[in-house]
Amino acid sequence: MGLEGKLISQIEMKCSGHLLHDHFKSNPHKTSVMSPDKITNFTIHEGQLGKTNSVVTWNYILEEKMITWTLAYEKLNENTPEPLDFMEFLIGLIKDVETHHVRK
């Protein structure tokens, strides 16, 4: 059994939470337009946008109101690093989506 962990991040938002929820529920394919330096492609493999149990992939680049990200993970062993770079990626992604909505 691997080592379990959890990372939690909270950032202040300028747009309402329902805009972000609606975006990730119904329009995740548009994220690459809002954050092209982080998301390069979106593909839906099974199901439909906005439907549960759909299978999708995002191709992403790792560089760079309150919202809380909770990232539950399991490490193969104690030498495996925590996914801090992925948490930073998610924070940057949300900031890009927010910037897109604040401009409207």
Side-chain angles (χ1 to χ4, degrees):
M1 181 163 107
L3 302 172
E4 295 181 7
K6 187 183 288 189
L7 295 175
I8 298 175
S9 178
Q10 193 172 60
I11 58 174
E12 189 172 333
M13 301 298 298
K14 294 181 182 105
C15 67
S16 66
H18 79 276
L19 287 174
L20 295 173
H21 178 269
D22 288 347
H23 169 77
F24 285 107
K25 177 183 176 219
S26 304
N27 298 304
H29 58 290
K30 294 181 180 179
T31 305
S32 62
V33 174
M34 298 174 195
S35 187
D37 62 322
K38 292 181 184 64
I39 301 293
T40 60
N41 187 37
F42 173 89
T43 305
I44 186 160
H45 300 280
E46 295 176 20
Q48 298 176 2
L49 290 175
K51 302 292 182 185
T52 58
N53 297 323
S54 295
V55 177
V56 302
T57 57
W58 281 354
N59 293 356
Y60 56 88
I61 301 168
L62 286 177
E63 287 180 19
E64 167 152 17
K65 247 164 193 36
M66 292 287 179
I67 185 168
T68 301
W69 280 112
T70 301
L71 179 60
Y73 62 93
E74 184 174 334
K75 299 187 332 177
L76 294 175
N77 59 53
E78 63 185 38
N79 296 326
T80 305
E82 280 72 23
L84 298 175
D85 56 347
F86 191 65
M87 180 60 85
E88 288 180 35
F89 163 78
L90 292 172
I91 292 168
L93 176 65
I94 274 298
K95 287 180 181 180
D96 289 342
V97 172
E98 174 190 37
T99 299
H100 173 82
H101 286 294
V102 169
R103 279 190 257 143
K104 286 185 173 185

XYZ file of all heavy atoms in Angstrom:
844
model
N 0.845 -1.176 0.000
C 0.000 0.000 0.000
C 0.891 1.239 0.000
O 1.897 1.292 0.680
C -0.892 -0.021 1.238
C -1.817 1.171 1.296
S -3.154 0.900 2.436
C -2.648 1.966 3.755
N 0.494 2.257 -0.778
C 1.261 3.488 -0.894
C 1.027 4.424 0.277
O 0.218 4.162 1.167
N 1.752 5.515 0.272
C 1.609 6.536 1.299
C 0.604 7.570 0.844
O 0.752 8.166 -0.217
C 2.961 7.208 1.561
C 4.083 6.274 1.994
C 5.398 7.029 2.032
C 3.768 5.677 3.353
N -0.450 7.795 1.624
C -1.490 8.740 1.247
C -1.178 10.117 1.778
O -0.511 10.265 2.797
C -2.844 8.268 1.781
C -3.301 6.976 1.150
C -4.645 6.519 1.665
O -5.296 7.270 2.416
O -5.045 5.406 1.315
N -1.662 11.127 1.085
C -1.471 12.499 1.519
C -2.552 13.387 0.947
O -3.391 12.948 0.169
N -2.536 14.637 1.345
C -3.524 15.588 0.858
C -2.884 16.972 0.865
O -2.221 17.348 1.817
C -4.739 15.578 1.776
C -5.899 16.409 1.267
C -7.057 16.423 2.254
C -7.755 15.093 2.270
N -9.007 15.117 3.043
N -3.055 17.703 -0.232
C -2.627 19.093 -0.321
C -3.868 19.947 -0.430
O -4.796 19.612 -1.163
C -1.758 19.328 -1.562
C -0.418 18.623 -1.625
C 0.223 18.875 -2.979
C 0.479 19.130 -0.518
N -3.902 21.055 0.281
C -5.045 21.971 0.223
C -4.499 23.364 -0.036
O -3.544 23.792 0.594
C -5.862 21.942 1.531
C -6.428 20.549 1.756
C -6.971 22.991 1.486
C -7.146 20.372 3.072
N -5.113 24.067 -0.980
C -4.721 25.429 -1.308
C -5.967 26.291 -1.380
O -6.997 25.856 -1.880
C -3.990 25.444 -2.645
O -3.638 26.748 -2.993
N -5.872 27.516 -0.894
C -7.018 28.420 -0.903
C -6.549 29.762 -1.445
O -5.525 30.294 -1.015
C -7.546 28.560 0.520
C -8.900 29.201 0.604
C -9.438 29.121 2.026
O -8.821 29.637 2.935
N -10.565 28.475 2.196
N -7.299 30.303 -2.425
C -6.959 31.605 -2.987
C -8.207 32.470 -3.031
O -9.324 31.970 -3.137
C -6.345 31.483 -4.404
C -7.302 30.776 -5.365
C -5.011 30.784 -4.371
C -6.823 30.760 -6.802
N -8.007 33.770 -2.935
C -9.124 34.717 -2.996
C -9.493 34.940 -4.460
O -8.619 35.076 -5.322
C -8.710 36.032 -2.346
C -9.863 36.993 -2.169
C -9.473 38.200 -1.344
O -8.551 38.096 -0.509
O -10.096 39.255 -1.550
N -10.786 34.994 -4.758
C -11.262 35.139 -6.130
C -12.000 36.467 -6.312
O -12.651 36.939 -5.390
C -12.224 33.988 -6.477
C -11.606 32.605 -6.347
S -10.231 32.348 -7.462
C -11.019 32.515 -9.037
N -11.914 37.036 -7.517
C -12.624 38.262 -7.838
C -13.950 37.988 -8.537
O -14.806 38.850 -8.587
C -11.750 39.145 -8.726
C -10.512 39.644 -8.032
C -9.697 40.527 -8.942
C -8.446 40.985 -8.260
N -7.246 40.309 -8.720
N -14.119 36.799 -9.108
C -15.381 36.449 -9.754
C -16.102 35.432 -8.880
O -15.519 34.813 -7.999
C -15.157 35.920 -11.173
S -14.305 34.343 -11.278
N -17.383 35.268 -9.131
C -18.178 34.385 -8.281
C -17.866 32.919 -8.557
O -17.483 32.537 -9.656
C -19.666 34.644 -8.493
O -20.036 34.287 -9.802
N -18.027 32.112 -7.530
C -17.737 30.689 -7.621
C -18.589 29.962 -8.631
O -18.142 28.994 -9.245
N -19.841 30.432 -8.837
C -20.696 29.713 -9.787
C -20.165 29.814 -11.209
O -20.356 28.905 -12.011
C -22.153 30.194 -9.689
C -22.435 31.483 -10.399
N -22.204 32.701 -9.816
C -22.916 31.723 -11.642
C -22.533 33.660 -10.686
N -22.968 33.089 -11.796
N -19.465 30.894 -11.554
C -18.876 30.990 -12.894
C -17.807 29.926 -13.097
O -17.730 29.298 -14.149
C -18.261 32.376 -13.107
C -19.235 33.530 -13.296
C -18.480 34.852 -13.357
C -20.053 33.339 -14.558
N -16.983 29.713 -12.066
C -15.951 28.690 -12.165
C -16.564 27.293 -12.206
O -16.149 26.441 -12.985
C -14.982 28.816 -10.994
C -14.167 30.107 -10.982
C -13.379 30.219 -9.701
C -13.263 30.195 -12.180
N -17.570 27.067 -11.375
C -18.244 25.758 -11.371
C -18.866 25.487 -12.734
O -18.690 24.408 -13.305
C -19.305 25.712 -10.273
C -20.050 24.424 -10.251
N -21.210 24.232 -10.965
C -19.786 23.239 -9.635
C -21.635 23.004 -10.778
N -20.785 22.378 -9.977
N -19.602 26.456 -13.261
C -20.232 26.279 -14.574
C -19.192 26.055 -15.667
O -19.395 25.261 -16.574
C -21.095 27.498 -14.926
C -22.360 27.578 -14.102
O -22.715 26.576 -13.433
O -22.999 28.644 -14.115
N -18.074 26.777 -15.569
C -17.026 26.603 -16.579
C -16.499 25.172 -16.594
O -16.455 24.527 -17.635
C -15.865 27.568 -16.324
C -14.677 27.253 -17.167
N -14.609 27.590 -18.500
C -13.536 26.582 -16.888
C -13.465 27.141 -18.998
N -12.800 26.533 -18.035
N -16.090 24.668 -15.423
C -15.502 23.333 -15.384
C -16.532 22.239 -15.614
O -16.195 21.146 -16.070
C -14.740 23.106 -14.076
C -13.435 23.846 -14.063
C -13.262 24.970 -13.279
C -12.385 23.424 -14.866
C -12.054 25.660 -13.291
C -11.181 24.115 -14.884
C -11.016 25.238 -14.097
N -17.810 22.531 -15.360
C -18.858 21.543 -15.623
C -19.222 21.510 -17.105
O -19.300 20.438 -17.701
C -20.109 21.878 -14.805
C -21.251 20.934 -15.093
C -22.509 21.321 -14.336
C -23.629 20.399 -14.755
N -24.889 21.068 -14.883
N -19.436 22.673 -17.705
C -19.995 22.724 -19.054
C -19.010 23.113 -20.155
O -19.239 22.796 -21.311
C -21.157 23.721 -19.078
O -22.125 23.370 -18.115
N -17.951 23.834 -19.804
C -17.052 24.357 -20.836
C -15.573 24.083 -20.570
O -14.733 24.933 -20.862
C -17.257 25.878 -20.961
C -18.654 26.215 -21.396
O -19.120 25.754 -22.423
N -19.337 27.004 -20.587
N -15.220 22.914 -20.052
C -13.796 22.685 -19.771
C -12.943 22.712 -21.036
O -11.753 23.009 -20.975
C -13.779 21.306 -19.114
C -14.995 20.623 -19.644
C -16.021 21.724 -19.781
N -13.558 22.450 -22.173
C -12.835 22.469 -23.440
C -12.367 23.874 -23.816
O -11.468 24.041 -24.623
C -13.707 21.883 -24.553
C -15.001 22.600 -24.740
N -16.027 22.541 -23.808
C -15.444 23.399 -25.736
C -17.046 23.269 -24.229
N -16.708 23.798 -25.392
N -12.948 24.915 -23.219
C -12.560 26.290 -23.515
C -11.409 26.778 -22.632
O -10.930 27.888 -22.801
C -13.764 27.214 -23.351
C -14.862 26.941 -24.366
C -16.014 27.896 -24.191
C -17.102 27.609 -25.225
N -18.232 28.504 -25.051
N -10.963 25.949 -21.700
C -9.906 26.357 -20.780
C -8.612 26.659 -21.520
O -7.885 27.577 -21.145
C -9.680 25.279 -19.712
O -10.912 25.007 -19.054
C -8.667 25.722 -18.679
N -8.324 25.946 -22.591
C -7.079 26.189 -23.327
C -7.070 27.565 -23.981
O -6.007 28.140 -24.192
C -6.845 25.098 -24.372
O -7.887 25.090 -25.325
N -8.245 28.127 -24.279
C -8.324 29.481 -24.832
C -8.042 30.505 -23.732
O -7.399 31.520 -23.957
C -9.719 29.728 -25.454
C -9.874 31.172 -25.888
C -9.945 28.775 -26.615
N -8.516 30.222 -22.510
C -8.346 31.133 -21.378
C -6.958 31.038 -20.762
O -6.478 31.995 -20.165
C -9.381 30.812 -20.301
C -10.804 30.984 -20.738
S -11.869 30.404 -19.424
C -13.416 30.272 -20.289
N -6.333 29.885 -20.872
C -5.036 29.645 -20.240
C -4.119 28.862 -21.178
O -3.710 27.745 -20.877
C -5.259 28.879 -18.928
O -4.076 28.757 -18.216
N -3.776 29.448 -22.335
C -3.014 28.698 -23.340
C -1.597 28.335 -22.912
O -1.013 27.417 -23.473
C -3.003 29.634 -24.549
C -3.190 30.999 -23.970
C -4.069 30.804 -22.766
N -1.051 29.037 -21.910
C 0.294 28.681 -21.463
C 0.281 27.512 -20.484
O 1.329 27.005 -20.105
C 0.996 29.886 -20.839
C 0.296 30.405 -19.603
O -0.954 30.406 -19.571
O 0.996 30.821 -18.659
N -0.925 27.050 -20.084
C -1.020 25.922 -19.162
C -1.744 24.716 -19.771
O -1.373 23.590 -19.527
C -1.731 26.349 -17.882
C -0.900 27.340 -17.080
C -1.581 27.740 -15.824
C -0.778 28.783 -15.093
N -0.630 30.037 -15.817
N -2.804 24.959 -20.544
C -3.578 23.881 -21.171
C -3.403 23.985 -22.677
O -3.716 25.016 -23.270
C -5.081 23.987 -20.818
C -5.311 23.932 -19.310
C -5.885 22.911 -21.543
C -4.989 22.603 -18.678
N -2.916 22.914 -23.291
C -2.675 22.949 -24.733
C -3.717 22.188 -25.540
O -3.843 22.406 -26.736
C -1.284 22.383 -25.070
O -1.210 21.026 -24.613
C -0.193 23.204 -24.416
N -4.468 21.296 -24.885
C -5.446 20.502 -25.622
C -6.453 19.898 -24.655
O -6.135 19.617 -23.504
C -4.743 19.382 -26.396
C -5.679 18.640 -27.315
O -6.575 19.225 -27.912
N -5.483 17.346 -27.441
N -7.671 19.702 -25.134
C -8.728 19.040 -24.375
C -9.362 18.010 -25.302
O -9.682 18.313 -26.448
C -9.790 20.053 -23.928
C -10.992 19.415 -23.287
C -11.009 19.174 -21.922
C -12.093 19.048 -24.037
C -12.105 18.581 -21.315
C -13.193 18.459 -23.441
C -13.196 18.222 -22.085
N -9.527 16.785 -24.811
C -10.155 15.727 -25.607
C -11.186 15.017 -24.750
O -10.905 14.662 -23.603
C -9.099 14.701 -26.080
O -8.071 15.382 -26.788
C -9.726 13.658 -26.989
N -12.373 14.802 -25.303
C -13.377 14.002 -24.610
C -13.377 12.620 -25.250
O -13.505 12.485 -26.463
C -14.771 14.663 -24.632
C -15.747 13.876 -23.774
C -15.288 14.860 -26.039
C -16.974 14.640 -23.343
N -13.153 11.594 -24.435
C -13.027 10.228 -24.933
C -14.330 9.449 -24.825
O -14.642 8.630 -25.691
C -11.932 9.476 -24.166
C -10.595 10.122 -24.304
N -9.791 9.954 -25.403
C -9.929 10.963 -23.481
C -8.678 10.651 -25.254
N -8.735 11.275 -24.097
N -15.064 9.668 -23.743
C -16.344 8.987 -23.521
C -17.298 9.960 -22.866
O -16.885 10.820 -22.100
C -16.174 7.789 -22.587
C -15.325 6.674 -23.123
C -15.138 5.559 -22.096
O -15.945 5.464 -21.152
O -14.174 4.795 -22.231
N -18.587 9.800 -23.147
C -19.595 10.629 -22.501
C -19.788 11.958 -23.208
O -19.467 12.105 -24.383
N -20.320 12.933 -22.447
C -20.634 14.250 -22.992
C -20.214 15.323 -22.003
O -20.146 15.085 -20.799
C -22.138 14.379 -23.230
C -22.716 13.402 -24.221
C -24.234 13.538 -24.308
O -24.833 14.378 -23.671
N -24.850 12.691 -25.104
N -19.961 16.522 -22.534
C -19.634 17.651 -21.659
C -20.773 17.885 -20.675
O -21.943 17.836 -21.039
C -19.409 18.917 -22.484
C -18.147 18.941 -23.333
C -18.120 20.191 -24.191
C -16.917 18.863 -22.460
N -20.432 18.130 -19.437
C -21.419 18.410 -18.409
C -22.083 17.184 -17.816
O -22.928 17.290 -16.937
N -21.710 16.010 -18.265
C -22.302 14.763 -17.761
C -21.303 14.044 -16.860
O -20.106 14.033 -17.139
C -22.699 13.828 -18.913
C -23.683 14.444 -19.891
C -25.028 14.649 -19.248
C -25.991 15.222 -20.276
N -27.270 15.560 -19.739
N -21.809 13.441 -15.807
C -20.936 12.676 -14.923
C -20.434 11.434 -15.642
O -21.033 10.973 -16.608
C -21.666 12.266 -13.627
O -22.821 11.495 -13.981
C -22.081 13.479 -12.823
N -19.323 10.926 -15.167
C -18.678 9.721 -15.694
C -18.124 9.887 -17.104
O -17.826 8.897 -17.756
C -19.617 8.514 -15.630
C -19.987 8.160 -14.212
O -19.162 8.257 -13.304
N -21.226 7.771 -14.000
N -17.989 11.116 -17.577
C -17.323 11.341 -18.854
C -15.825 11.182 -18.650
O -15.299 11.457 -17.581
C -17.634 12.740 -19.381
O -19.014 12.855 -19.672
N -15.144 10.732 -19.695
C -13.697 10.546 -19.625
C -13.057 11.587 -20.544
O -13.330 11.615 -21.742
C -13.287 9.124 -20.058
C -11.778 8.966 -20.046
C -13.965 8.083 -19.163
N -12.227 12.456 -19.958
C -11.588 13.530 -20.722
C -10.099 13.577 -20.374
O -9.682 13.069 -19.345
C -12.225 14.911 -20.427
C -13.707 14.910 -20.745
C -11.984 15.339 -18.991
N -9.336 14.198 -21.255
C -7.934 14.489 -20.939
C -7.657 15.945 -21.260
O -8.232 16.510 -22.196
C -6.948 13.613 -21.741
O -7.182 13.798 -23.145
C -7.062 12.160 -21.401
N -6.799 16.527 -20.456
C -6.234 17.845 -20.722
C -4.748 17.642 -20.891
O -4.113 16.995 -20.064
C -6.433 18.786 -19.540
C -7.769 19.397 -19.381
C -8.830 19.314 -20.220
C -8.198 20.203 -18.283
N -9.885 20.006 -19.708
C -9.524 20.565 -18.522
C -7.590 20.649 -17.127
C -10.248 21.354 -17.659
C -8.310 21.432 -16.262
C -9.622 21.786 -16.530
N -4.184 18.198 -21.944
C -2.733 18.253 -22.064
C -2.325 19.562 -21.418
O -2.839 20.617 -21.772
C -2.291 18.217 -23.524
C -2.584 16.895 -24.173
O -3.047 15.958 -23.530
N -2.324 16.794 -25.454
N -1.411 19.485 -20.462
C -1.049 20.685 -19.714
C 0.463 20.859 -19.643
O 1.224 19.926 -19.851
C -1.643 20.657 -18.306
C -1.271 19.447 -17.495
C -0.121 19.430 -16.727
C -2.073 18.309 -17.501
C 0.230 18.323 -15.977
C -1.736 17.195 -16.746
C -0.580 17.210 -15.991
O -0.245 16.111 -15.257
N 0.851 22.089 -19.366
C 2.246 22.461 -19.231
C 2.447 22.874 -17.778
O 1.748 23.743 -17.274
C 2.591 23.645 -20.158
C 2.309 23.265 -21.607
C 4.032 24.091 -19.959
C 2.328 24.442 -22.565
N 3.415 22.252 -17.101
C 3.693 22.619 -15.713
C 4.757 23.702 -15.686
O 5.916 23.451 -15.917
C 4.168 21.401 -14.904
C 3.098 20.398 -14.538
C 3.728 19.216 -13.819
C 2.031 21.021 -13.673
N 4.378 24.898 -15.445
C 5.266 26.024 -15.206
C 4.610 26.813 -14.096
O 4.605 26.422 -13.008
C 5.478 26.852 -16.463
C 6.374 26.142 -17.449
C 6.618 26.913 -18.703
O 6.420 28.131 -18.723
O 7.009 26.293 -19.675
N 4.474 27.400 -14.359
C 3.923 28.308 -13.379
C 2.615 27.849 -12.565
O 2.030 26.927 -13.054
C 3.632 29.502 -14.243
C 2.902 30.337 -13.655
C 2.828 31.717 -13.827
O 3.260 32.232 -14.766
O 2.260 32.226 -12.869
N -13.699 35.781 -3.979
C -14.151 34.701 -3.166
C -13.131 33.727 -2.886
O -12.195 33.643 -3.562
C -15.276 34.077 -3.776
C -16.579 34.041 -3.368
C -17.255 33.661 -4.426
C -18.400 33.572 -4.898
N -19.384 34.040 -4.953
N -13.188 32.978 -1.964
C -12.153 31.977 -1.739
C -12.492 30.724 -2.537
O -13.644 30.370 -2.687
C -12.070 31.589 -0.256
C -11.577 32.676 0.641
S -9.805 32.860 0.365
C -9.490 34.185 1.493
N -11.458 30.062 -3.038
C -11.625 28.768 -3.681
C -10.640 27.820 -3.017
O -9.539 28.207 -2.662
C -11.405 28.841 -5.208
C -11.712 27.507 -5.860
C -10.006 29.301 -5.522
C -11.795 27.579 -7.364
N -11.031 26.586 -2.820
C -10.179 25.601 -2.172
C -9.971 24.420 -3.103
O -10.938 23.844 -3.589
C -10.813 25.107 -0.850
O -11.010 26.222 0.003
C -9.928 24.083 -0.169
N -8.728 24.119 -3.381
C -8.362 22.913 -4.123
C -7.928 21.873 -3.108
O -7.083 22.143 -2.253
C -7.162 23.164 -5.046
C -7.451 23.828 -6.340
C -7.072 25.080 -6.699
C -8.138 23.294 -7.473
N -7.482 25.353 -7.976
C -8.142 24.275 -8.470
C -8.756 22.072 -7.729
C -8.730 24.082 -9.718
C -9.344 21.879 -8.964
C -9.333 22.872 -9.936
N -8.487 20.696 -3.184
C -8.036 19.580 -2.364
C -7.551 18.495 -3.304
O -8.311 17.999 -4.132
C -9.175 19.050 -1.470
O -9.629 20.116 -0.646
C -8.701 17.901 -0.608
N -6.306 18.157 -3.196
C -5.677 17.166 -4.066
C -5.296 15.966 -3.204
O -4.334 16.006 -2.452
C -4.428 17.778 -4.727
C -3.610 16.924 -5.659
C -4.451 16.440 -6.835
C -2.418 17.718 -6.171
N -6.113 14.918 -3.281
C -5.803 13.688 -2.534
C -4.919 12.820 -3.418
O -5.171 12.672 -4.606
C -7.088 12.961 -2.172
N -3.874 12.267 -2.847
C -2.942 11.474 -3.636
C -2.388 10.323 -2.804
O -2.504 10.297 -1.588
C -1.794 12.346 -4.161
C -0.949 12.959 -3.075
C 0.190 12.320 -2.622
C -1.294 14.177 -2.505
C 0.970 12.865 -1.622
C -0.532 14.744 -1.504
C 0.597 14.087 -1.064
O 1.363 14.634 -0.074
N -1.808 9.382 -3.515
C -1.153 8.252 -2.867
C 0.223 8.083 -3.498
O 0.346 8.012 -4.712
C -1.984 6.988 -3.053
C -1.422 5.788 -2.334
C -2.339 4.583 -2.424
O -3.557 4.753 -2.587
O -1.812 3.466 -2.341
N 1.256 8.060 -2.675
C 2.628 7.893 -3.153
C 2.987 6.410 -3.152
O 2.526 5.657 -2.300
C 3.600 8.662 -2.258
C 3.332 10.145 -2.234
C 4.354 10.993 -1.506
C 5.127 10.412 -0.409
N 6.123 11.302 0.179
N 3.813 6.025 -4.102
C 4.265 4.636 -4.162
C 5.174 4.282 -3.000
O 5.143 3.163 -2.491
C 4.987 4.372 -5.487
C 4.115 4.454 -6.731
C 4.974 4.284 -7.982
C 3.024 3.397 -6.685
N 5.991 5.261 -2.589
C 6.875 5.046 -1.448
C 7.278 6.402 -0.879
O 6.939 7.443 -1.438
C 8.105 4.210 -1.838
C 8.912 4.863 -2.929
O 9.302 6.024 -2.817
N 9.165 4.120 -4.002
N 8.020 6.394 0.217
C 8.362 7.650 0.885
C 9.355 8.502 0.094
O 9.506 9.688 0.354
C 8.894 7.391 2.288
C 10.172 6.594 2.335
C 10.592 6.248 3.755
O 9.707 5.963 4.580
O 11.796 6.268 4.008
N 10.011 7.936 -0.905
C 10.943 8.691 -1.740
C 10.241 9.468 -2.855
O 10.866 10.293 -3.515
C 11.993 7.764 -2.348
C 12.864 7.139 -1.279
O 13.156 7.766 -0.262
N 13.267 5.901 -1.488
N 8.982 9.201 -3.094
C 8.215 9.906 -4.109
C 7.842 11.287 -3.571
O 7.300 11.388 -2.470
C 6.929 9.129 -4.459
O 7.276 7.803 -4.855
C 6.164 9.813 -5.576
N 8.133 12.366 -4.329
C 7.835 13.703 -3.816
C 6.327 13.997 -3.833
O 5.574 13.405 -4.610
C 8.576 14.626 -4.785
C 8.691 13.843 -6.046
C 8.792 12.399 -5.638
N 5.915 14.903 -2.950
C 4.529 15.358 -2.959
C 4.286 16.125 -4.265
O 5.205 16.755 -4.793
C 4.250 16.281 -1.762
C 4.009 15.559 -0.456
C 5.271 14.940 0.125
O 6.367 15.413 -0.217
O 5.159 13.996 0.914
N 3.061 16.111 -4.786
C 2.771 16.763 -6.073
C 2.600 18.282 -5.948
O 1.592 18.852 -6.360
C 1.480 16.070 -6.520
C 0.807 15.697 -5.240
C 1.917 15.348 -4.284
N 3.594 18.943 -5.375
C 3.509 20.393 -5.175
C 3.453 21.155 -6.499
O 2.754 22.158 -6.616
C 4.699 20.882 -4.348
C 4.796 20.302 -2.936
C 6.082 20.762 -2.273
C 3.581 20.668 -2.111
N 4.178 20.663 -7.525
C 4.149 21.340 -8.817
C 2.767 21.271 -9.456
O 2.319 22.211 -10.103
C 5.225 20.796 -9.756
C 5.146 19.294 -9.970
O 4.421 18.611 -9.222
O 5.822 18.798 -10.889
N 2.057 20.181 -9.245
C 0.712 20.070 -9.796
C -0.253 21.009 -9.067
O -1.114 21.630 -9.687
C 0.212 18.623 -9.737
C -1.055 18.411 -10.516
C -1.070 18.553 -11.893
C -2.239 18.079 -9.875
C -2.235 18.374 -12.620
C -3.403 17.895 -10.589
C -3.406 18.040 -11.970
N -0.089 21.163 -7.748
C -0.928 22.105 -6.999
C -0.680 23.534 -7.488
O -1.616 24.298 -7.691
C -0.667 21.993 -5.495
C -1.511 22.952 -4.664
S -3.299 22.733 -4.843
C -3.580 21.438 -3.653
N 0.575 23.883 -7.724
C 0.896 25.207 -8.260
C 0.270 25.404 -9.637
O -0.228 26.484 -9.955
C 2.405 25.390 -8.342
C 3.072 25.567 -7.000
C 4.572 25.741 -7.135
O 5.017 26.366 -8.125
O 5.296 25.249 -6.256
N 0.289 24.362 -10.458
C -0.343 24.407 -11.773
C -1.837 24.708 -11.648
O -2.381 25.556 -12.351
C -0.127 23.072 -12.497
C -1.052 22.850 -13.656
C -0.821 23.481 -14.867
C -2.153 22.015 -13.526
C -1.686 23.280 -15.928
C -3.010 21.815 -14.587
C -2.780 22.448 -15.791
N -2.530 24.026 -10.741
C -3.969 24.235 -10.554
C -4.278 25.659 -10.099
O -5.243 26.272 -10.564
C -4.530 23.226 -9.548
C -4.540 21.777 -10.007
C -4.942 20.866 -8.848
C -5.462 21.577 -11.191
N -3.451 26.204 -9.220
C -3.646 27.582 -8.758
C -3.491 28.552 -9.925
O -4.313 29.456 -10.118
C -2.665 27.917 -7.617
C -3.025 27.114 -6.371
C -2.683 29.423 -7.310
C -1.968 27.146 -5.297
N -2.462 28.378 -10.731
C -2.265 29.230 -11.899
C -3.393 29.109 -12.902
O -3.825 30.098 -13.502
N -3.886 27.903 -13.089
C -4.999 27.668 -14.012
C -6.237 28.436 -13.567
O -6.883 29.127 -14.355
C -5.296 26.169 -14.081
C -6.499 25.752 -14.919
C -6.264 26.089 -16.388
C -6.764 24.273 -14.738
N -6.560 28.353 -12.290
C -7.731 29.056 -11.767
C -7.574 30.563 -11.923
O -8.512 31.271 -12.259
C -7.969 28.666 -10.291
C -8.798 27.404 -10.214
C -8.656 29.751 -9.504
C -10.190 27.502 -10.801
N -6.368 31.074 -11.702
C -6.142 32.508 -11.867
C -6.376 32.938 -13.310
O -6.928 34.009 -13.562
C -4.736 32.873 -11.401
C -4.582 32.830 -9.901
C -3.177 33.192 -9.478
C -3.035 33.130 -7.969
N -1.675 33.489 -7.542
N -5.971 32.113 -14.281
C -6.204 32.434 -15.690
C -7.686 32.421 -16.033
O -8.189 33.285 -16.745
C -5.455 31.456 -16.593
C -3.965 31.655 -16.566
O -3.501 32.738 -16.135
O -3.243 30.733 -16.984
N -8.406 31.430 -15.536
C -9.850 31.353 -15.787
C -10.537 32.563 -15.156
O -11.416 33.184 -15.751
C -10.437 30.025 -15.255
C -11.952 30.031 -15.336
C -9.857 28.841 -16.039
N -10.105 32.932 -13.954
C -10.669 34.108 -13.277
C -10.425 35.362 -14.100
O -11.330 36.166 -14.313
C -10.043 34.252 -11.899
C -10.473 35.537 -11.212
C -9.683 35.807 -9.960
O -8.478 35.523 -9.900
O -10.298 36.342 -9.029
N -9.199 35.552 -14.568
C -8.866 36.731 -15.372
C -9.755 36.818 -16.595
O -10.239 37.896 -16.959
C -7.371 36.687 -15.790
O -6.578 36.702 -14.617
C -7.002 37.855 -16.684
N -10.009 35.685 -17.225
C -10.885 35.653 -18.392
C -12.286 36.155 -18.034
O -12.874 36.950 -18.756
C -10.964 34.228 -18.949
C -11.960 34.078 -20.049
N -11.674 34.417 -21.344
C -13.244 33.649 -20.046
C -12.723 34.201 -22.098
N -13.698 33.730 -21.332
N -12.836 35.691 -16.917
C -14.196 36.080 -16.522
C -14.272 37.508 -15.992
O -15.277 38.171 -16.176
C -14.751 35.095 -15.494
C -15.137 33.788 -16.102
N -16.172 33.659 -16.993
C -14.607 32.541 -15.965
C -16.276 32.411 -17.373
N -15.335 31.710 -16.768
N -13.232 38.003 -15.338
C -13.246 39.360 -14.810
C -13.256 40.372 -15.945
O -13.861 41.427 -15.849
C -12.038 39.590 -13.862
C -11.880 41.050 -13.504
C -12.227 38.769 -12.595
N -12.609 40.032 -17.073
C -12.588 40.931 -18.236
C -13.944 41.102 -18.886
O -14.175 42.048 -19.603
C -11.602 40.403 -19.283
C -10.175 40.759 -18.963
C -9.281 40.425 -20.126
N -8.572 39.193 -19.786
C -8.287 38.238 -20.639
N -8.630 38.331 -21.882
N -7.647 37.166 -20.249
N -14.877 40.172 -18.655
C -16.200 40.245 -19.311
C -17.071 41.309 -18.692
O -17.066 41.602 -17.568
C -16.895 38.893 -19.222
C -16.290 37.887 -20.149
C -17.087 36.622 -20.118
C -16.568 35.665 -21.174
N -17.344 34.486 -21.294
